[in-house]
Amino acid sequence: MSNTFTLFKIMMKQYFSWADKDDKQKTGILFFIIAMIPVTLFWFWFVNGIVSGIHPILAEANLQHLIIAFALLITGLTIILTSIPTIVTSFYFANDLESYLTLPVKAYQILIGKTLAPLITVYGATAVIMVPTLLMYGLTDGAGSVYIIFSLFTFVLFPIIPFILASILVMFLMRFANIAKNKDRTKVFAGIFSFAMVIGINVVIRLNQNPENMSSDFAQWIQKQDDLLWGTSKFLPNVYIATKAIESTYWWQNALFFILLFVVTGLFIALFMWIGQRLYFQGVQGISSGNKGKTFTSLSNKLYVRPVYWSYTLKELRTIYRTPSFFINCIVQNLFAPFFILIIMFFENNLGSITEMVDQFNEKYILLAMFGISLFVMGSNPTATSSISREGYNWFTNKYLPIDPKTIIYSKALAAWIIDWVSIAVLFILFTFLLKVPFLVIALWVVLTALASWFSVFMGIYVDLNNPRLNWSDEQQVFKSRFAPLLTLLIQAFSFGFLILATWNLPFISGLWLTTLTLLLGTGIALYIAHKIAMKTTQKRFHYLG
């Protein structure tokens, strides 16, 4: 047993270690916490509006506890959907996995150790939904100390079963679905699954709900359901029990349901260990044998003569596409904002009025607004700010390749610039086909965005060169607790914010062409400075990294 706890301790230290964090990173974490305070306050205010709007309607039928039930159901489904990519990476594709397989421990011990760190991160997602909902419900309903105590206990136990269900699903797929032959595709599909589900749910909600009457309609619909709470338990077996553990008439009922929740959770943990003992090693062995059955052809038929910078760029793009954590953070996450804007605009009833307003608006201000939106999308893309960190322990190979360091940096910049245009293409569809912006404005916006994208890329690489994270064992650690994208976004906001505000307000900068020339001049100067400092930093830092 002591060896088991030692194994768990080592895994946790490797995942959450602060040993590799310098003062800059620790300061960045503190800055991020401070910056999240107003966002958290806004989220609590938003949830309070929903709870306070639904509670009186449900209270008339004594069904107010269904607010907690649906919050738990949404939390459980969110955990299942968002945990799958993390589970796949942690269980099967982590770089430190092979070192644990040789130890004299059983499969379920390694599995539990690999589960602890992702499960802790799951509590963060759980807190986003459950904490404000439970708090605002308690304040609205006038709950007492019993409610607070059992809410805390339930918060600790509830996320375990949804996470176990997602883990068992992954283990069955990795063991029996014969996906080891398509290892790269497996990673990509795991990465895009959550994004597709979230977008799909958003579309369904907007097709079936009027946003202005959503709270009222939702509450009235629930009133008509007699066995709705039992129905939710068909999706997640602990929703009903957890709801009763939090919201019951008498304290002893809360205690009994909490004991039942504790027992059911323990049974699921035992089931998880039993299934893991029988399936986990076979799934890991299937990954290592993923080349079985493939046909090998002559290597000479696959060789092409390409410029060095383009070959390295293709290598970067393939790495991002085939690694789920890189794919999610560099591509999927970058598509989130433009896709949601697109969906909201498409399903809103006032799209026609917005289009009419665009027709009546001065082209100067239309161009400035489009340029500002593009800057935000490009500045929040972590592709450039992880260009060096994505190499990990393999960075040392770049020191020995017969390639000029500047060529490597230019190739990484080109790869990040190409990925930027994936999200900009969605904005192009929004501006051109939905908002019907004039063609001339669109053409000028494309030119300005191309230059500004290069500025964002070079600044991101400069930030990553100064403070890379190379000693990671899991691809997700490249992005967790790193504030390089936020720093790049702030630099970009400071650099272009003054330019946009000045161009917007100065009376002598009028007309579309003069506005474009002003933006081109400012963007060109900013790009020149960003390129110079990125190349200078490359000369100083390239051979000292790692």
Side-chain angles (χ1 to χ4, degrees):
M1 183 61 68
S2 61
N3 293 334
T4 301
F5 282 107
T6 302
L7 177 65
F8 296 167
K9 187 188 300 183
I10 292 173
M11 289 184 175
M12 293 293 289
K13 284 184 176 180
Q14 285 185 334
Y15 201 88
F16 293 103
S17 175
W18 281 64
D20 61 328
K21 292 181 174 62
D22 54 18
D23 293 337
K24 292 181 180 179
Q25 289 177 306
K26 295 177 181 178
T27 304
I29 293 175
L30 177 62
F31 175 78
F32 177 77
I33 294 174
I34 296 174
M36 286 301 296
I37 292 176
V39 177
T40 303
L41 293 176
F42 172 79
W43 176 243
F44 271 77
W45 171 81
F46 178 77
V47 174
N48 179 59
I50 297 177
V51 173
S52 60
I54 296 176
H55 186 277
I57 302 175
L58 294 179
E60 296 178 359
N62 198 28
L63 294 174
Q64 64 271 21
H65 55 275
L66 291 181
I67 297 176
I68 298 177
F70 270 90
L72 293 174
L73 179 63
I74 294 173
T75 301
L77 294 178
T78 302
I79 292 172
I80 292 175
L81 294 177
T82 58
S83 296
I84 290 178
T86 305
I87 293 169
V88 171
T89 302
S90 180
F91 285 13
Y92 296 96
F93 299 133
N95 292 342
D96 60 348
L97 181 60
E98 293 184 1
S99 61
Y100 296 121
L101 296 178
T102 58
L103 297 176
V105 292
K106 296 182 179 180
Y108 75 87
Q109 293 173 315
I110 297 178
L111 193 60
I112 293 178
K114 301 295 290 185
T115 298
L116 291 177
L119 182 59
I120 289 176
T121 61
V122 162
Y123 279 98
T126 304
V128 172
I129 301 175
M130 286 187 62
V131 170
T133 303
L134 294 176
L135 178 61
M136 297 308 169
Y137 177 87
L139 293 175
T140 304
D141 199 57
S145 58
V146 175
Y147 171 86
I148 297 174
I149 293 172
F150 285 101
S151 294
L152 292 174
F153 289 159
T154 304
F155 173 80
V156 174
L157 288 182
F158 181 82
I160 296 176
I161 291 181
F163 186 84
I164 287 176
L165 291 175
S167 301
I168 292 175
L169 174 63
V170 169
M171 285 191 290
F172 269 100
L173 289 176
M174 299 300 291
R175 175 63 183 89
F176 296 112
N178 196 28
I179 56 181
K181 293 182 179 180
N182 299 292
K183 178 178 176 181
D184 294 336
R185 295 181 184 178
T186 301
K187 294 181 179 182
V188 174
F189 290 150
I192 65 176
F193 178 76
S194 301
F195 175 71
M197 291 299 297
V198 172
I199 292 293
I201 292 172
N202 193 322
V203 171
V204 170
I205 290 175
R206 291 197 167 271
L207 284 173
N208 293 278
Q209 295 287 341
N210 183 349
E212 297 178 357
N213 302 319
M214 186 174 179
S215 298
S216 177
D217 293 345
F218 179 69
Q220 293 174 3
W221 177 75
I222 291 180
Q223 280 185 315
K224 300 177 183 178
Q225 312 302 312
D226 296 330
D227 57 345
L228 186 60
L229 187 54
W230 279 107
T232 59
S233 63
K234 297 177 182 178
F235 298 96
L236 287 172
N238 60 339
V239 169
Y240 177 81
I241 303 173
T243 302
K244 288 297 185 180
I246 296 174
E247 179 64 28
S248 290
T249 305
Y250 303 102
W251 70 266
W252 57 269
Q253 292 178 336
N254 295 97
L256 288 177
F257 276 104
F258 176 76
I259 293 173
L260 179 60
L261 178 63
F262 184 84
V263 172
V264 171
T265 303
L267 292 175
F268 266 85
I269 294 175
L271 177 65
F272 171 72
M273 295 169 61
W274 181 77
I275 294 177
Q277 182 65 27
R278 283 154 179 79
L279 298 182
Y280 182 59
F281 275 167
Q282 290 86 344
V284 173
Q285 292 171 359
I287 292 298
S288 62
S289 60
N291 289 329
K292 182 181 294 185
K294 289 189 177 182
T295 302
F296 293 92
T297 59
S298 175
L299 183 61
S300 60
N301 296 331
K302 299 295 182 180
L303 294 178
Y304 302 95
V305 178
R306 292 194 185 101
V308 174
Y309 71 88
W310 182 240
S311 296
Y312 201 99
T313 301
L314 291 177
K315 187 271 291 184
E316 286 287 304
L317 293 174
R318 290 192 184 102
T319 300
I320 293 172
Y321 172 76
R322 292 174 177 176
T323 309
S325 295
F326 299 163
F327 183 84
I328 294 170
N329 288 276
C330 297
I331 298 180
V332 175
Q333 179 178 298
N334 199 36
L335 285 172
F336 231 82
F339 255 112
F340 267 98
I341 294 174
L342 185 64
I343 291 172
I344 291 172
M345 296 297 297
F346 187 78
F347 288 104
E348 287 289 346
N349 296 326
N350 59 351
L351 178 60
S353 61
I354 296 177
T355 305
E356 293 178 0
M357 183 178 66
V358 171
D359 294 336
Q360 299 174 359
F361 222 54
N362 191 307
E363 291 181 342
K364 165 188 174 179
Y365 302 112
I366 296 175
L367 179 62
L368 289 172
M370 293 167 58
F371 187 58
I373 293 173
S374 304
L375 289 172
F376 173 78
V377 172
M378 293 182 297
S380 58
N381 185 2
T383 305
T385 53
S386 62
S387 296
I388 312 300
S389 300
R390 287 196 306 267
E391 298 281 351
Y393 291 106
N394 296 324
W395 172 258
F396 76 94
T397 59
N398 291 310
K399 300 179 182 180
Y400 302 103
L401 289 175
I403 305 176
D404 185 15
K406 290 184 178 180
T407 302
I408 294 177
I409 297 301
Y410 280 130
S411 298
K412 290 180 175 292
L414 180 58
W417 186 78
I418 292 173
I419 291 178
D420 261 347
W421 281 92
V422 176
S423 58
I424 293 174
V426 180
L427 293 178
F428 178 84
I429 295 173
L430 170 65
F431 295 149
T432 305
F433 299 104
L434 290 184
L435 299 183
K436 299 179 181 180
V437 176
F439 175 77
L440 179 59
V441 179
I442 291 290
L444 296 175
W445 167 75
V446 169
V447 175
L448 290 169
T449 303
L451 293 175
S453 178
W454 277 112
F455 171 85
S456 179
V457 165
F458 282 123
M459 288 307 305
I461 292 177
Y462 163 75
V463 172
D464 199 30
L465 277 169
N466 279 286
N467 193 17
R469 175 176 291 179
L470 298 175
N471 54 341
W472 49 265
S473 59
D474 186 335
E475 293 96 343
Q476 297 183 44
Q477 296 176 5
V478 176
F479 305 95
K480 287 183 177 180
S481 302
R482 291 194 77 224
F483 306 98
L486 178 61
L487 179 59
T488 305
L489 183 61
L490 291 175
I491 294 174
Q492 190 160 284
F494 178 80
S495 302
F496 288 97
F498 176 78
L499 176 63
I500 293 177
L501 289 175
T503 308
W504 187 289
N505 293 298
L506 291 177
F508 58 85
I509 303 179
S510 60
L512 180 62
W513 289 108
L514 188 56
T515 300
T516 303
L517 290 175
T518 304
L519 294 178
L520 279 175
L521 179 61
T523 304
I525 295 173
L527 175 57
Y528 175 79
I529 296 173
H531 174 267
K532 283 293 184 182
I533 63 174
M535 292 302 104
K536 186 176 181 179
T537 306
T538 300
Q539 292 177 346
K540 291 182 178 180
R541 299 273 299 164
F542 190 89
H543 291 288
Y544 294 96
L545 298 177

